[in-house]
Amino acid sequence: MDDLGFQIQSGVVARLVIDRVEKRNALTRAMWEALPGLLAELAASDEVKVLVVTGAGPSFSAGADISELISGTDPADPMAELRASNLRAQTALREFPKPTIAMVRGHCIGGGLEIAVNCDFRFAAHGSTYGVTPARIGVVYPPASVQVLLDLVGPATTKYLLFSGELLTAERAELKGLVDRVVGELDLESEVDEFAATLVSRSQLTIRSAKETVNALLTKASPDTAALSRYQETIASGELAEGIAAFRERRSPHFPWC
């Protein structure tokens, strides 16, 4: 399916492909606006267990389409509509209930990095580059976007990225905690597929609860009520009983919850 610069490849491990190769997958306002709806459809699918987000061609995404940055209707705030669409898209990706993996080649800059850091994991190819470049053009970065970086890499690296606008190699990004794994270009697909298969094999109830808890703790919300409900659910659904039985019988589990 092709929708305003995205391709969706459905399956147990689904793919959301940023597909605007002629612009190094720069994201338009229409693409930001479309993203929450596409993610909602994938989240509602019982088939989908893991979502891989990647870019078509040699780049993940070079960022927001700069030609649209100040094209809004309000002369006092020409970025208002774009900023609102961008933040809604980031929130939708961050709150996607199933595991998300950014598979990154080439440029992962600005809005592209915003997409990557709002995924649960980032797998990177050697030669990929990472950066946040508002200081190069005078954009004030939204606090919500700063917070995501801060939670991921801490204050020193967040300041380094935002103050300098410099790009990090994949290897430096891994050292800073910005990416989780760096592999050769030819191995990237297989590494992501292998890790996604591992996630599919695990208890989806455990994963869902863990993601809910982490997200709640990051936003300073209490996770206790939701976690207790999930705990009761793992017993009532037979999820825990199947996991224990499989361990004792030395076989792969067939978890009933999905």
Side-chain angles (χ1 to χ4, degrees):
M1 178 172 62
D2 189 348
D3 195 311
L4 295 172
F6 294 103
Q7 290 184 26
I8 303 295
Q9 300 169 6
S10 59
V12 175
V13 179
R15 289 201 180 193
L16 172 66
V17 183
I18 310 166
D19 189 4
R20 200 168 174 239
V21 177
E22 73 283 1
K23 295 291 186 178
R24 291 190 301 174
N25 298 327
L27 293 128
T28 64
R29 177 183 162 193
M31 292 170 71
W32 290 118
E33 289 175 345
L35 195 51
L38 297 176
L39 291 169
E41 291 178 18
L42 289 163
S45 170
D46 291 336
E47 181 186 25
V48 175
K49 299 294 186 286
V50 177
L51 176 63
V52 175
V53 182
T54 193
S59 287
F60 184 80
S61 172
D65 190 327
I66 198 168
S67 68
E68 294 188 349
L69 283 185
I70 54 173
S71 62
T73 57
D74 182 358
D77 188 0
M79 288 185 63
E81 295 97 332
L82 178 61
R83 185 171 62 250
S85 298
N86 167 271
L87 291 174
R88 282 193 295 269
Q90 289 190 62
T91 299
L93 185 54
R94 188 166 59 252
E95 295 180 353
F96 190 80
K98 304 170 186 184
T100 52
I101 305 169
M103 183 171 69
V104 181
R105 298 181 181 87
H107 296 90
C108 183
I109 299 169
L113 187 62
E114 287 174 343
I115 288 180
V117 299
N118 280 288
C119 290
D120 297 314
F121 307 100
R122 284 148 296 283
F123 281 50
H126 289 297
S128 53
T129 54
Y130 303 80
V132 192
T133 55
R136 294 189 179 195
I137 56 175
V139 170
V140 172
Y141 210 54
S145 299
V146 175
Q147 186 67 59
V148 174
L149 274 177
L150 193 62
D151 290 337
L152 185 62
V153 298
T157 299
T158 297
K159 289 176 182 178
Y160 179 87
L161 289 166
L162 289 171
F163 291 8
S164 72
E166 292 186 359
L167 304 184
L168 301 181
T169 64
E171 291 73 20
R172 285 192 67 198
E174 185 178 29
L175 288 173
K176 299 290 187 181
L178 194 61
V179 301
D180 300 292
R181 192 177 301 178
V182 179
V183 299
E185 171 76 25
L186 297 178
D187 298 323
L188 184 60
E189 294 264 357
S190 61
E191 288 277 343
V192 170
D193 289 346
E194 182 178 345
F195 184 63
T198 296
L199 296 179
V200 169
S201 74
R202 305 308 192 210
S203 166
Q204 301 305 301
L205 176 53
T206 298
I207 290 173
R208 183 72 57 88
S209 178
K211 184 163 183 174
E212 291 169 350
T213 296
V214 170
N215 284 350
L217 291 170
L218 287 173
T219 60
K220 311 303 182 186
S222 172
D224 293 344
T225 299
L228 176 59
S229 176
R230 292 298 191 192
Y231 168 73
Q232 293 168 337
E233 191 175 3
T234 198
I235 297 170
S237 68
E239 191 87 345
L240 179 59
E242 167 59 15
I244 292 172
F247 180 81
R248 287 174 174 168
E249 297 164 14
R250 298 183 180 181
R251 62 173 174 81
S252 298
H254 302 286
F255 291 114
W257 193 92
C258 61

